């Protein structure tokens, strides 16, 4: 039996333990209370303002009002791209979701009025996210979502006169992008297009600490729309709406009005642009009507082409067209997947490709101005004569003149007139030998080509330009080092033919060499030489203006909506030709001789007023492996006191320069200077004897959404094709009737 002493001790120990546990519990409770009050102080006092702002922002929704985008104007102020007012049917998700059936019945009724499937409407008002693809809405869910542009007046009245049947649906006039086609202009590749801002762009600007783009913005993706996007876009307005805990709007918290974008005045002249586009199409049709008796034994395909009209005194582009092309209005409101696939399709001729700056072609004989420059600046006399046999053999390979023609010993000027290949073959081969042959490190003609700007982008103010291709010893060695392993491996590949293995074996062993044949081909713009039409326009502009290489520009000035000039875009000189004034004068005279006594005489000889408007020209026929030849016609011309314009046209698989491109280039000059087919000059018919020096006056009261003005112009439009073409809806007064729709490209899209 335990003692009383032990029992008392046990009761004492138990009481002590209880007190200890109570003390620990009190400390824990006190700690929790202190922690709670500390956290409350931190949240309400230390960061109270921040969380107050967050709470407010959770109850405020932003509605964005897009800014009116600035217009793109030609040199006279005619709108090439503007905004037109159209009836847009929009749906409010907030109002639709208030309906018992979440707006299902409303959309069903609306679909019948608009004549489209209800399912399409439902898809358009979905909110875009990572798992929802177009069509969907990537803007704020609290602002009206456009579901149809270009609604008819009857459709709008059916909606607005029966509002009780269409809660949350509106039909209102809205400004949308428009390509009004003044004078029938297309200019799709130059103007560019818009598309909605992407999540990546919004995330990028957030990282950069900027707030320039809103989710509802349209952003320039190509052409002038992209280069001058920041000038044209303006600044969207933002309205803050307060909402309750179920998302219902209870009031307006803040409102920032939108700021319209600036206008862009360009150097493009709408009338000359229309003529250039139409004459390019005429050249394509001319090619398709010409039989290729020399090579393929069928009609030329004339599958694509390009033309550039440049002011030689500034480098500004007056007109620039590419074919095939497309109706730029196809982008308005969002392009369909089917249309985009067609515009990107090689089978359709890849209408999206701007061949003026991305098309790379062998220049053929229009390159000979560069070869002549190199000869003159490397000790070959401009007063001397050089042999022009029917053919020349170099390295065991025979290189022929066209049709084997021989002219004996002739001057360089005469060699340009008759386009004697063998003169330039001989000069280039001689230079190659003097530079050390296979051991040489450079070639004077290659150096001169680079001095003319070939092998590099011109720097024009539209994106996507390619540099072309100029090959010399350094390029050849760099490519050999990069590809040697592949060539050597393919030389032993039994799956390849004997010929293929032989070529790979030769490239494996000495593919770094710049051979005599390379030099000979280079002299006449063949071999691996590739250029763009814009590059060659700049080459001939530099010859015409005394040796200045300008950075081509289309933008001329940025002008505010009120008519104030924000900034002028001045021409920039990118280089000077390393050529003496004597050589340049010789080239100008020689090229004018081509128009009178040479390969361009059939275009200008006899019926052109050379005494008043001398034209320098060079024809070119570029050979292409496994294809028909490329037609080139390069020119400069203007008054006797100095050339004003360079005009260059190219037609892929088009045959000869004089036969296909030449007549169309002449038509462009006729339009510029008011010359008729007999060579008579009528100043009243001249569209642009010289580019305007002053900027056009822009009415401060006019808006970019104003109706398109009417301009009188009668180019030789071709009849509309009998199918497969997209008829362009001209909105300008005096538009072309349906049976006079101009062609839109080499293959009709």
């Amino acid at each position: 039996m335990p003692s009383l002493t032990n029992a008392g001790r046990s009761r004492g120990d138990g009481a002590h333990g209880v007190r200890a546990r109570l003390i620990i519990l009190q400390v824990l409770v006190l700690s929790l209370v202190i922690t709670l009050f500390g956290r409350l102080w931190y949240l309400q006092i230390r960061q109270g303002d921040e969380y107050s702002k967050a709470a407010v922002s959770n109850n405020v929704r932003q509605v964005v009002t897009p800014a009116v985008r600035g217009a793109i104007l030609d040199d006279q102020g005619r709108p090439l791209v503007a905004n037109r007012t159209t009836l847009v049917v929009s749906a409010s998700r907030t109002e639709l979701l208030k309906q018992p059936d979440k707006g299902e019945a409303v959309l069903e009724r609306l679909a019948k009025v608009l004549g489209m499937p209800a399912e399409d409407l439902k898809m358009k008002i979905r909110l875009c996210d990572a798992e929802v693809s177009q069509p969907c809405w990537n803007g704020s869910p609290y602002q009206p979502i456009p579901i149809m542009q270009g609604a008819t007046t009857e459709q709008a009245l059916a909606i607005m006169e029966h509002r009780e049947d269409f809660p949350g649906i509106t039909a209102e006039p809205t400004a949308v992008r428009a390509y009004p086609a003044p004078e029938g202009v297309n200019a799709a590749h130059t103007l560019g297009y818009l598309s909605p801002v992407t999540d990546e762009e919004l995330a990028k600007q957030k990282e950069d600490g900027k707030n320039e783009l809103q989710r509802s913005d349209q952003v320039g993706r190509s052409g002038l729309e992209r280069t001058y996007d920041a000038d044209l876009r303006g600044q969207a307005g933002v309205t803050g709406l307060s909402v309750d805990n179920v998302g219902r709007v209870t009031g307006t918290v803040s409102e920032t009005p939108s700021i319209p974008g600036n206008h862009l005045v360009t150097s493009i002249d709408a009338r000359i642009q229309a003529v250039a586009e139409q004459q390019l199409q005429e050249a394509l049709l001319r090619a398709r009507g010409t039989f290729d008796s020399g090579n393929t034994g069928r009609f030329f395909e004339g599958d694509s082409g390009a033309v550039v009209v440049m002011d030689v005194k500034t480098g500004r582009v007056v007109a620039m067209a590419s074919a095939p092309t497309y109706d730029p209005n196809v982008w308005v409101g969002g392009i369909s997947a089917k249309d985009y696939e067609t515009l990107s399709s090689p089978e359709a001729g890849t209408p999206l490709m701007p061949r003026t700056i991305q098309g790379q072609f062998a220049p053929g004989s229009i390159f000979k101005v560069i070869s002549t420059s190199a000869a003159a600046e490397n000790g070959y006399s401009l007063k001397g004569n050089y042999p022009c046999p029917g053919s020349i053999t170099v390295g065991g390979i025979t290189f022929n003149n066209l049709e084997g023609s021989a002219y004996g010993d002739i001057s360089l000027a005469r060699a340009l007139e008759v386009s004697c290949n063998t003169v330039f073959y001989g000069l280039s081969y001689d230079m190659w030998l003097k530079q050390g042959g296979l051991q040489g490190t450079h070639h004077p003609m290659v150096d001169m080509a680079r001095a003319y700007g070939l092998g590099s982008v011109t720097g024009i103010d539209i994106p996507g330009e390619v540099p072309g291709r100029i090959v010399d010893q350094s390029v050849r060695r760099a490519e050999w080092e990069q590809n040697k392993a592949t060539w050597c491996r393919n030389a032993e590949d039994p799956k390849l033919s004997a010929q293929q293995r032989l070529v790979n074996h030769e490239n494996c062993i000495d593919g770094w060499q710049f051979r005599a044949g390379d030099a000979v081909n280079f002299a006449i713009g063949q071999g691996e030489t590739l250029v763009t039409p814009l590059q060659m326009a700049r080459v001939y502009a530099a010859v015409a203006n005394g040796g200045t290489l300008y950075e081509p520009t289309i933008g001329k000035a940025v002008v505010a909506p009120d008519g104030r000039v924000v900034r002028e875009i001045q021409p920039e000189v990118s280089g000077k030709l390393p050529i003496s004034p004597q050589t340049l004068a010789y080239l100008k005279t020689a090229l004018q001789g081509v128009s009178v006594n040479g390969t361009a005489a059939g275009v200008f000889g006899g019926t052109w007023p050379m005494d008043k408007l001398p034209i320098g020209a060079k024809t070119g026929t570029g050979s292409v492996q496994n294809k028909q030849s490329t037609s080139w016609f390069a020119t400069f011309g203007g008054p006797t006191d100095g050339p004003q314009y360079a005009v260059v046209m190219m037609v892929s698989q088009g045959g000869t320069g004089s036969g296909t491109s030449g007549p169309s280039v002449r038509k462009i000059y006729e339009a510029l200077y008011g010359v008729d087919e007999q060579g008579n000059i009528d100043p009243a018919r001249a569209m642009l004897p010289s580019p305007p020096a002053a900027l056009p006056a822009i009415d401060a009261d006019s808006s970019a959404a104003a109706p398109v003005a009417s301009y009188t112009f009668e180019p030789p439009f071709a009849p509309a094709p009998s199918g497969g073409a997209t008829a362009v809806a001209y909105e300008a007064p005096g538009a072309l009737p349906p049976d006079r729709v101009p062609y839109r490209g080499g293959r009709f899209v």
Side-chain angles (χ1 to χ4, degrees), residues 244 262 332 408 497 531 640 669 734:
D244 59 19
N262 295 319
V332 178
S497 67
V531 300
T640 54
Y669 278 109

Side-chain angles (χ1 to χ4, degrees), residues 38-39 72 76 90 100-101 109 111 136 197 213 247 299 366 413-414 440 536 539 559 651 678 735:
R39 184 61 177 168
I72 300 177
Q76 301 288 343
S90 303
D101 61 354
R109 290 192 291 269
C136 59
V197 66
L213 294 172
F299 285 95
I366 66 169
R414 184 59 180 162
M536 295 312 297
V539 165
V559 180
V651 175
Q678 288 71 43

Side-chain angles (χ1 to χ4, degrees), residues 91-152:
S92 168
R93 278 180 55 87
T94 302
E95 293 299 319
L96 290 176
L97 292 176
K98 290 179 182 178
Q99 305 300 313
D101 61 354
K102 307 300 182 184
E104 291 274 347
V106 174
L107 293 177
E108 292 285 348
R109 290 192 291 269
L110 181 62
K112 294 178 181 178
V113 172
L114 300 182
M116 57 191 303
E119 193 62 31
D120 288 357
L121 299 182
K122 296 173 185 177
M123 293 178 71
K124 287 188 174 185
I125 67 171
R126 298 180 304 168
L127 299 181
C128 297
D129 59 32
E131 298 179 356
V132 177
S133 59
Q134 294 285 348
C136 59
W137 174 244
N138 68 344
S140 168
Y142 291 94
Q143 67 187 87
I145 301 172
I147 54 179
M148 182 180 186
Q149 293 186 355
T152 66

